[in-house]
């Protein structure tokens, strides 16, 4: 079966211009990432802030040009398409951002915000537009009276509902949700996650669901990809990854999830230290300075992302030792 989305060896280096006394530098934000998403599937993408998640999302959508790599959508290479050829795909792939306040136009009513993509993509006759707007609002759990209001009149969770409705307006097949609940209170997070799940089932949507901690993606992901400093270090079906991490970084992220269950206390300490600067990445395995399993090999040689069984890939020289010290 052809996956809906296939990403091969995608890479992006930002060139940081020099300032007085500071040399120009190269920052590898995304460093050779490959992944696949099937129709109706959710791939969770997790990693600390600055590891390149948003850049990867923008590369997939063509919002930032890639240095190398391919994005195949239903087998079509999006990187090779002209703007005109790209237009239908712009519709099928949508993005939702962390902060709906900055992604919604403050001077447009909700009705105008939702009508705009309908007009751009000529999706609905003018006479039917208001009805379609009302239907979209209903789908995301907002009352029809919301149509005449402005973004600042809503709470954070309601604003995120509006941006979900805007993404749905064009009937996409894939939504890249970039930390869609990170800015929300915990109780509101759960409501938005439930809404995204309901919408997915109803429309057979695929998601690339980006988050900076594993707790958020646990209940929404079919598979999870863990990212560190521009690279994927582990990918596995969600259940397997949470039950038995294969990479020390995954293990550290799992240990960082607060545990109400006292019998599970006493696990190894969560992640130590800061994520290194991508301007000056460590030698060998870039996780080695923070890794409790690191050896000389790790300092010298970068581990490849290798298959472990049918469904899991791990990039670690010592993955056989990881995850066995859980109580
Ligand atoms: P994440 O979404 O995981 O927090 P980003 O993709 O936003 O990470 O950023 C990855 C790295 O690229 C960071 O070090 C960030 O500072 C850098 N970066 C992101 N966008 C730009 C840009 N437009 N110019 C230069 N550096 C950037
Ligand atoms: Mg980001």
């Amino acid at each position: 079966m052809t996956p809906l989305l296939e990403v091969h060896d995608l890479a992006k280096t930002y060139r940081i211009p020099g300032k007085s006394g500071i040399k120009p530098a190269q920052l590898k934000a995304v460093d050779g990432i490959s992944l696949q998403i099937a129709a109706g599937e959710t791939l969770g993408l997790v990693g600390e802030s600055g590891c390149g998640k948003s850049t990867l999302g923008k590369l997939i959508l063509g919002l930032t040009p890639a240095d190398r790599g391919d994005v195949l959508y239903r087998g079509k290479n999006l990187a090779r398409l002209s703007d005109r050829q790209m237009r239908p795909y712009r519709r099928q792939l949508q993005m939702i951002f962390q902060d709906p306040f900055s992604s919604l136009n403050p001077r447009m009513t909700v009705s105008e915000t939702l009508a705009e993509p309908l007009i751009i993509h000529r999706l609905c006759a003018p006479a039917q537009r208001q009805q379609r707007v009302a239907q979209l609002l209903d789908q995301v759990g907002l009352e029809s009276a919301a149509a005449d209001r402005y973004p600042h009149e809503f709470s954070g969770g309601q604003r995120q509902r509006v941006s979900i409705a805007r993404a749905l307006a064009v009937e996409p097949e894939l939504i890249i949700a970039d930390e869609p609940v990170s800015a929300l209170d915990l109780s509101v997070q759960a409501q938005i996650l439930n809404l995204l799940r309901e919408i997915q089932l109803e429309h057979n949507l695929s998601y690339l669901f980006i988050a900076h901690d594993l707790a958020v993606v646990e209940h929404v992901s079919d598979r999870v990809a863990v990212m560190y400093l521009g690279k994927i270090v582990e990918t596995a079906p969600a259940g397997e990854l949470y039950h038995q991490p294969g990479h020390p970084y995954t293990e550290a992220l799992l240990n960082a999830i607060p545990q109400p269950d006292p019998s599970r206390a006493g696990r190894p300490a969560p992640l130590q230290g800061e994520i290194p600067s991508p301007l000056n990445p460590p030698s060998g395995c870039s996780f080695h300075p923070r890794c409790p399993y690191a050896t000389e090999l790790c300092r010298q040689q970068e581990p490849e992302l290798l298959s472990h069984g049918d469904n899991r890939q791990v990039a670690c020289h010592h993955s056989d030792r990881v995850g066995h010290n859980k109580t």
Side-chain angles (χ1 to χ4, degrees):
M1 189 193 72
T2 317
L4 186 68
L5 179 80
E6 252 185 295
V7 167
H8 287 297
D9 194 30
L10 210 53
K12 176 73 184 179
T13 298
Y14 290 113
R15 277 150 199 93
I16 314 291
K19 285 192 218 131
S20 53
I22 304 171
K23 277 194 255 171
Q26 306 232 320
L27 188 154
K28 278 188 185 175
V30 169
D31 191 8
I33 284 194
S34 301
L35 55 82
Q36 303 189 339
I37 304 179
E41 185 185 41
T42 299
L43 177 66
L45 178 71
V46 174
E48 284 159 288
S49 182
C51 73
K53 305 179 297 295
S54 296
T55 301
L56 178 62
K58 290 179 199 157
L59 292 174
I60 292 172
L61 295 186
L63 300 175
T64 300
D67 298 335
R68 62 163 206 271
D70 293 314
V71 177
L72 302 177
Y73 189 77
R74 294 191 173 279
K76 257 245 184 293
N77 195 339
L78 300 188
R80 310 261 159 81
L81 299 183
S82 66
D83 271 0
R84 195 188 156 78
Q85 289 169 318
M86 183 70 189
R87 201 173 296 157
Y89 297 98
R90 286 252 145 74
R91 213 188 109 189
Q92 278 152 23
L93 287 82
Q94 292 289 308
M95 194 153 176
I96 301 171
F97 298 92
Q98 174 177 349
D99 178 10
F101 222 173
S102 59
S103 64
L104 295 173
N105 186 333
R107 280 178 289 278
M108 277 164 72
T109 63
V110 166
S111 167
E112 288 163 347
T113 297
L114 299 183
E116 188 180 54
L118 301 176
I119 296 167
I120 291 173
H121 295 280
R122 299 198 184 96
L123 288 176
C124 158
Q128 262 104 59
R129 244 175 241 149
Q130 285 320 309
Q131 200 185 338
R132 176 70 176 136
V133 165
Q135 186 189 25
L136 286 165
L137 289 173
D138 184 55
Q139 275 181 21
V140 298
L142 290 172
E143 293 185 4
S144 53
D148 299 321
R149 290 157 63 192
Y150 289 88
H152 73 267
E153 298 177 61
F154 294 95
S155 68
Q158 288 173 323
R159 276 199 295 270
Q160 198 55 290
R161 287 176 193 268
V162 174
S163 57
I164 292 168
R166 184 180 54 182
L168 287 178
V170 296
E171 298 169 43
E173 292 182 308
L174 176 85
I175 291 184
I176 297 183
D178 190 358
E179 307 216 27
V181 300
S182 299
L184 305 174
D185 293 341
L186 273 183
S187 61
V188 183
Q189 285 194 6
Q191 292 166 13
I192 297 294
L193 292 175
N194 286 338
L195 173 66
L196 288 168
R197 183 82 191 126
E198 280 167 27
I199 290 168
Q200 173 170 47
L201 294 174
E202 202 168 315
H203 300 273
N204 194 36
L205 277 169
S206 303
Y207 290 134
L208 177 63
F209 193 103
I210 299 177
H212 59 255
D213 71 76
L214 275 170
V216 169
V217 299
E218 179 166 8
H219 300 293
V220 296
S221 303
D222 301 303
R223 280 185 308 125
V224 174
V226 179
M227 203 171 159
Y228 193 75
L229 232 57
K231 295 199 166 101
I232 287 178
V233 296
E234 174 164 14
T235 153
E240 293 179 28
L241 185 122
Y242 286 85
H243 180 68
Q244 168 71 62
H247 193 283
Y249 182 54
T250 313
E251 183 180 40
L253 289 177
L254 281 175
N255 291 343
I257 299 176
Q259 280 299 337
D261 178 357
S263 72
R264 292 177 74 184
R267 293 187 302 175
L271 209 53
Q272 305 294 316
E274 302 260 304
I275 188 168
S277 164
L279 281 170
N280 186 19
S283 63
C285 172
S286 56
F287 187 59
H288 87 251
R290 303 168 83 184
C291 182
Y293 306 94
T295 59
E296 194 50 34
L297 176 64
C298 310
R299 283 180 269 279
Q300 292 180 6
Q301 194 182 317
E302 187 181 344
E304 274 180 73
L305 188 64
L306 298 175
S307 292
H308 290 236
D310 290 342
N311 301 318
R312 185 189 294 245
Q313 292 177 300
V314 183
C316 175
H317 294 303
H318 302 299
S319 56
D320 52 330
R321 290 166 51 204
V322 177
H324 293 292
N325 45 4
K326 229 174 18 179
T327 51

